[in-house]
Amino acid sequence: VWRGGPSHLPQVPFDARALVVVEVRALKKLQEPASLEIIGWSVVPAFYGDAVNNGIFQLPLYAGSPPPSLLVEMREGNWQAVLARAGASRAIKLVDNASVEVSILDGQRFGEHDVPEFRPEPDLSLLPGKRLKSYLKDVPSKPLSSLLGGGGDPKGARDFAVRLFMEGMGLK
């Protein structure tokens, strides 16, 4: 579970078929009790060749949660071809113009992406090519301060949101 910063997963054994599956959920409201909404999911290989798939990846979001049978099929075969077939058959659907940025870095290089001069540009190659421009458009949004009311503390709100999210996931 993402806790608002980099996560370290120690001792992940090498497996060329290993995939990082990311599910994006959102708090419906910044209040108790926690109520989470599943926005979508995406996937990227954990390894490239015989090494960690180091990089920052902008990935398309697929609606809902990943079907377990699809996860098995992706692991056992060509994951990109499996995704393409599932999309073509409408078994999965893209969330319009929505993406998630995922950073993967070998533990020996942990923190390197936090340093601006070492941070690579996001890899856009996994976004749908025909719709790339729509994924790269800036979308206006409200500033965080507008959700907090007058004089709200952004750090306190972030900590509160992370706590609510953890509770919503059944973690404490």
Side-chain angles (χ1 to χ4, degrees):
V1 172
W2 179 69
R3 290 176 167 77
S7 296
H8 184 239
L9 303 174
Q11 304 302 317
V12 175
F14 174 78
D15 182 341
R17 300 175 306 158
L19 299 170
V20 176
V21 178
V22 178
E23 187 171 75
V24 177
R25 296 181 184 197
L27 285 167
K28 287 187 177 184
K29 293 184 180 176
L30 194 57
Q31 66 187 39
E32 296 185 84
S35 177
L36 298 177
E37 176 182 4
I38 296 172
I39 304 298
W41 63 279
S42 200
V43 62
V44 64
F47 298 96
Y48 183 77
D50 61 355
V52 172
N53 191 15
N54 292 303
I56 298 174
F57 305 90
Q58 190 169 345
L59 308 171
L61 279 179
Y62 297 93
S65 291
S69 60
L70 185 68
L71 294 175
V72 170
E73 195 177 342
M74 284 191 299
R75 179 168 165 68
E76 292 174 352
N78 177 328
W79 68 275
Q80 287 178 299
V82 170
L83 268 181
R85 278 194 308 274
S89 70
R90 297 208 159 100
I92 59 173
K93 182 180 180 291
L94 286 167
V95 177
D96 286 337
N97 307 323
S99 64
V100 62
E101 189 174 280
V102 175
S103 173
I104 301 176
L105 193 60
D106 189 298
Q108 296 174 19
R109 297 169 58 187
F110 194 72
E112 196 173 287
H113 289 172
D114 299 336
V115 180
E117 54 267 16
F118 294 125
R119 184 178 171 85
E121 289 296 316
D123 179 341
L124 308 176
S125 66
L126 297 174
L127 292 173
K130 292 179 182 177
R131 300 166 64 190
L132 188 58
K133 283 186 181 180
S134 63
Y135 279 94
L136 301 179
K137 267 193 316 193
D138 281 335
V139 177
S141 64
K142 295 180 183 178
L144 177 60
S145 60
S146 71
L147 301 174
L148 303 178
D153 170 30
K155 184 184 179 328
R158 181 181 164 277
D159 292 345
F160 181 62
V162 169
R163 183 175 62 76
L164 284 177
F165 188 83
M166 298 285 286
E167 288 174 9
M169 293 292 295
L171 306 168
K172 302 239 175 188

